[in-house]
Amino acid sequence: MDNGELYRILVVDDEILVRQGIKHILNWEQDGFQIVGEASNGKEALELIETLRPHIVLTDIVMPIMDGEELTRLIKHNWPEIEVIVLSSFSEFDYVRSTFQSGVSDYILKPHLETEMLLEVLRKTVEKLPAPSRVMRQNAESASASVSMQQTLEKLLAGYEVELDRAQAAEWFPYPYFYVLGSCGASSVLDELKALFPRMAAAKLPCGPISGYPRLSVHILNVDEEGREALPLKLRVLHPTSMTGEGELSWVLSDPFHSLNQLGGICREDWLKLLQYRFFLPQDAALMPSELPMAEETKEFPLQVFMEQIRRLQLEEGFNELEQYIAHHTKAYTAEVFEFKSLIGNILFNVIHMLGSLNLDVSALDEAKYAYFKAIDEARHISAIISLLEEFRRQAEDCVQVAQQARQEGNPSMKLLLDYIDEHYAEPISLTEMARHFHFNPSYLSSFFAAHHHEGFKEHLNRVRIGKAADLLRRGDIPISEISSRVGYGDHSYFCKVFKKSTGLSPTQYRRQYIERAEKDIR
C-alpha cells in the first residue's frame, strides 16, 4: 500500500441526514481518510464492500432489511481484516454490547457524535490495521487532485455552499458548459462521447447507486460552445447503439448549465425527475429535456367504481378500465412512481379481499399476493406492472370461473334460478313470483338463494339489471328513460338512484365518461 493512500471508509445508516452529517463533519482527506461509499442498510453495504473493499465500516445498529449486528457478523466472517465501528443511541446500548462478540472495533453514541470524538475513535481503529496501511495528516497533502475534486463534488451534490478555488476548478473543468449524464455499464455511451468530443472533461459523480438503477453511473460533462450545440445531436446519432440488452435506453442527459455551483440543484430538481420519467415513458425514449413529449395531466383512478364492478363480478369491465388508466401514464409520465406503485398494490389487495368476502376461494391469490407486492415494488418500468397485472387478472378470473362452475354443477336448482333471472330481468319479477314459478315457499327460496349464492336475490337482480343498463349506455344514444324501462325499472328516478349506488356515477355521467374516453382513444 502506498504511503500516500488514504484509509477507505464505508458509511452505513438508514437515515440520509445522518449519512450527510457524517460525510461533512470532517475534512476527511486532510485527516488521512476517504469516504468511498454509503449504504442505507446492511444488504446494500455488503454489495458495496465486494467492490470498494473499505478499511473501516462505520455502521448504525438498527436498520431495515439487515441490521448492524448481522452486517458486522458477515463482515468479520468474510473480510476479517475490515474494522467495524458501530453508531448507536443510548436506548440501543445493550444491543451494541452484544455486537462486540462479533468483533466490533469500537462504538460511538450518536448524541456524542462530534468531530474530535469521531477522529479519536478512527485513530484508535487505525492502530489495529497493519502498519504499512497507516496514513495520517502528514500524508494528506500528497492526496491526488482527483480526490479533492470528488470531495468538492460530494459537497455540491449535498447542497452545501462551497468556496470554489477558481484556478483549481478551471483545471478540472476548463470549458463553460456542464451536463449531468447517467449511463449504464462501464463501457457506455460516455466512451463514445469522449471520442467524438476531444475537448470534453468528465468526472464520475460520487452519488453512489441510485435507488432502482443500481447499474447507472453518473458523470458530470464539461464541454465548449461547439460541444453544447453538438452533444444532444451526437447522442441522438448514438441512440440506436446505446440500448441495454433489455431494450432500455442506457443514458439520461440533463439540460446544460453554466456554473459548477448549480450541480446540486440540477441533480436534485431536474436530472432525478428526468430519471423518474423513465418509468412511464417508452424504454427507448430519448431522455433529455428537449426530447420529451408534452406531458398530460394525471387523473384520479375511480377506485370506488372499480371495486363495485369487482363486487358485481364484472371483472372484464373493471380490469379494462384499470388497464386504460395505466396506459394513460405513458403520456402522464410526470406522475410520482411511488404513489403509482402504491395504488396498484392497494388495488390488488382490495380485489383479493373483495372476492374473499363473496365467499370465493381466493387461496391461490392470497398465497401469491406478497410475490405480487414485491414485483410491484421492484418494477423498473411500467411494462413490468402491465405484465403482472395481466397475470393477476387471469388468476382472479380463474378464481371466479371455478367458483361459478362449482356452484352451478353442485346446485342445479341454483343454476335454474340464475338462468331465469338472466332471461326475465327486464320484467317486473319478484322473489314471490319466482317462488311461485318454481313451486318454492318464498321464505325458503330467500334462504336457499342466500345460502348457495354470494349475494341475495334482490342484490343479484339489481346487479344483472345495472350491468345490462351499462351495456346499453355504452352502445349508443338510447334515451336513459328508455334504458331504465328496458332493464326492468318502472321508476326512472329509482333506476338512477340504484345505478349511482352501484357504479358511483349517474347514468348521464357514466355515458359521458365513456364517450370522452372513446374519443381520446381515437385521437
Side-chain angles (χ1 to χ4, degrees):
M1 185 180 292
D2 294 337
N3 288 335
E5 188 173 343
L6 303 175
Y7 285 110
R8 299 187 299 279
I9 295 179
L10 175 66
V11 179
V12 190
D13 197 295
D14 61 324
E15 296 184 35
I16 188 169
L17 292 178
V18 173
R19 299 200 304 270
Q20 292 294 330
I22 290 171
K23 286 192 293 184
H24 301 295
I25 196 173
L26 294 177
N27 190 337
W28 290 91
E29 296 152 26
Q30 182 178 326
D31 290 300
F33 303 94
Q34 178 190 6
I35 293 183
V36 293
E38 59 180 284
S40 63
N41 58 66
K43 185 171 181 257
E44 287 183 8
L46 288 176
E47 294 171 357
L48 291 176
I49 288 171
E50 285 279 0
T51 55
L52 300 177
R53 292 301 171 96
H55 300 101
I56 299 171
V57 173
L58 190 61
T59 181
D60 188 14
I61 279 289
V62 179
M63 298 181 292
I65 303 177
M66 182 188 292
D67 64 18
E69 185 176 24
E70 176 71 3
L71 172 62
T72 299
R73 188 183 65 76
L74 291 173
I75 288 175
K76 284 302 180 181
H77 180 268
N78 296 308
W79 303 281
E81 74 280 4
I82 295 177
E83 296 295 338
V84 179
I85 299 172
V86 164
L87 296 171
S88 173
S89 65
F90 283 117
S91 62
E92 302 155 13
F93 184 72
D94 289 338
Y95 190 26
V96 171
R97 189 174 293 163
S98 68
T99 65
F100 279 85
Q101 297 174 358
S102 302
V104 163
S105 174
D106 210 333
Y107 72 93
I108 303 173
L109 294 174
K110 284 184 180 180
H112 294 165
L113 183 57
E114 298 173 351
T115 303
E116 289 304 318
M117 171 68 76
L118 180 57
L119 262 180
E120 180 183 345
V121 171
L122 287 170
R123 285 168 178 161
K124 282 170 57 181
T125 303
V126 162
E127 296 297 325
K128 301 178 183 181
L129 293 171
S133 297
R134 289 186 188 162
V135 184
M136 298 309 289
R137 184 186 299 270
Q138 62 268 29
N139 294 323
E141 292 180 1
S142 63
S144 68
S146 63
V147 173
S148 298
M149 177 173 66
Q150 287 293 300
Q151 187 181 38
T152 299
L153 295 176
E154 180 93 45
K155 290 184 176 180
L156 288 169
L157 285 168
Y160 286 80
E161 291 187 9
V162 179
E163 289 286 339
L164 287 173
D165 183 312
R166 290 192 177 185
Q168 182 67 76
E171 184 179 335
W172 299 334
F173 304 112
Y175 307 114
Y177 298 101
F178 296 90
Y179 289 86
V180 175
L181 174 73
S183 57
C184 294
S187 174
S188 64
V189 68
L190 180 64
D191 299 318
E192 299 186 55
L193 286 177
K194 286 179 178 178
L196 290 171
F197 297 98
R199 293 189 302 279
M200 181 180 82
K204 190 174 187 303
L205 294 178
C207 53
I210 297 174
S211 177
Y213 301 92
R215 296 178 299 154
L216 200 67
S217 297
V218 186
H219 293 78
I220 183 168
L221 307 184
N222 180 231
V223 296
D224 58 12
E225 178 66 33
E226 180 183 348
R228 182 188 69 81
E229 294 179 355
L231 183 61
L233 176 62
K234 296 295 184 185
L235 275 170
R236 280 196 292 272
V237 171
L238 294 174
H239 186 283
T241 62
S242 57
M243 306 289 289
T244 66
E246 295 79 27
E248 180 181 18
L249 195 62
S250 67
W251 52 263
V252 185
L253 183 74
S254 75
D255 271 332
F257 54 102
H258 295 284
S259 170
L260 199 57
N261 279 315
Q262 296 175 265
L263 176 62
I266 291 291
C267 278
R268 289 190 305 275
E269 298 165 18
D270 298 324
W271 189 83
L272 283 177
K273 286 183 181 178
L274 188 64
L275 183 61
Q276 291 297 307
Y277 298 163
R278 167 182 280 179
F279 184 85
F280 296 111
L281 288 168
Q283 288 180 290
D284 62 348
L287 288 174
M288 49 184 161
S290 61
E291 294 290 316
L292 291 177
M294 182 71 72
E296 294 188 8
E297 290 186 12
T298 56
K299 296 180 178 179
E300 184 177 352
F301 181 67
L303 184 59
Q304 182 181 349
V305 176
F306 172 80
M307 291 311 302
E308 179 58 31
Q309 290 168 331
I310 299 301
R311 191 186 68 79
R312 290 188 275 114
L313 297 182
Q314 295 178 332
L315 270 63
E316 181 176 2
E317 183 176 336
F319 277 101
N320 285 345
E321 294 275 351
L322 179 57
E323 287 171 4
Q324 288 179 25
Y325 174 79
I326 292 174
H328 172 69
H329 278 73
T330 59
K331 300 174 183 176
Y333 57 81
T334 60
E336 288 290 336
V337 175
F338 176 79
E339 291 180 5
F340 175 80
K341 288 183 175 182
S342 297
L343 173 65
I344 300 302
N346 186 42
I347 287 172
L348 266 57
F349 177 85
N350 280 299
V351 169
I352 296 171
H353 180 74
M354 176 63 76
L355 294 178
S357 71
L358 299 175
N359 296 321
L360 303 182
D361 180 6
V362 293
S363 55
L365 281 173
D366 203 51
E367 184 178 337
K369 67 182 177 185
Y370 292 111
Y372 280 117
F373 297 156
K374 186 173 185 290
I376 291 169
D377 184 56
E378 295 178 352
R380 293 176 56 193
H381 190 260
I382 194 173
S383 58
I385 299 289
I386 293 171
S387 295
L388 72 87
L389 187 63
E390 288 173 352
E391 173 62 21
F392 180 84
R393 174 179 179 169
R394 184 192 63 76
Q395 274 196 284
E397 289 174 341
D398 287 349
C399 168
V400 172
Q401 185 176 5
V402 167
Q404 289 178 333
Q405 286 178 349
R407 281 173 176 159
Q408 291 177 0
E409 292 170 2
N411 297 280
S413 296
M414 192 70 235
K415 185 176 187 304
L416 285 173
L417 295 174
L418 296 178
D419 286 346
Y420 182 85
I421 292 172
D422 281 343
E423 292 173 10
H424 300 277
Y425 69 88
E427 302 168 15
I429 60 175
S430 65
L431 185 68
T432 302
E433 182 182 333
M434 195 161 74
R436 188 183 304 114
H437 178 82
F438 286 101
H439 309 291
F440 275 109
N441 177 282
S443 179
Y444 175 76
L445 178 59
S446 178
S447 299
F448 181 87
F449 207 103
H452 295 86
H453 199 52
H454 63 272
E455 56 193 353
F457 165 77
K458 186 175 181 180
E459 188 177 17
H460 179 79
L461 177 60
N462 276 332
R463 182 170 66 81
V464 171
R465 285 173 167 174
I466 295 304
K468 301 293 184 181
D471 289 340
L472 293 172
L473 286 167
R474 293 194 302 271
R475 193 175 300 169
D477 56 357
I478 304 171
I480 294 174
S481 58
E482 182 179 333
I483 289 176
S484 66
S485 61
R486 280 196 189 188
V487 298
Y489 289 102
D491 186 335
H492 174 68
S493 62
Y494 179 69
F495 161 69
C496 293
K497 181 180 178 180
V498 174
F499 191 95
K500 185 165 186 177
K501 183 179 178 181
S502 296
T503 66
L505 300 170
S506 70
T508 302
Q509 291 170 330
Y510 185 92
R511 170 175 277 172
R512 185 185 304 122
Q513 186 180 85
Y514 177 79
I515 292 172
E516 288 174 354
R517 288 181 180 175
E519 289 175 346
K520 181 169 287 188
D521 289 342
I522 293 172
R523 290 198 297 268

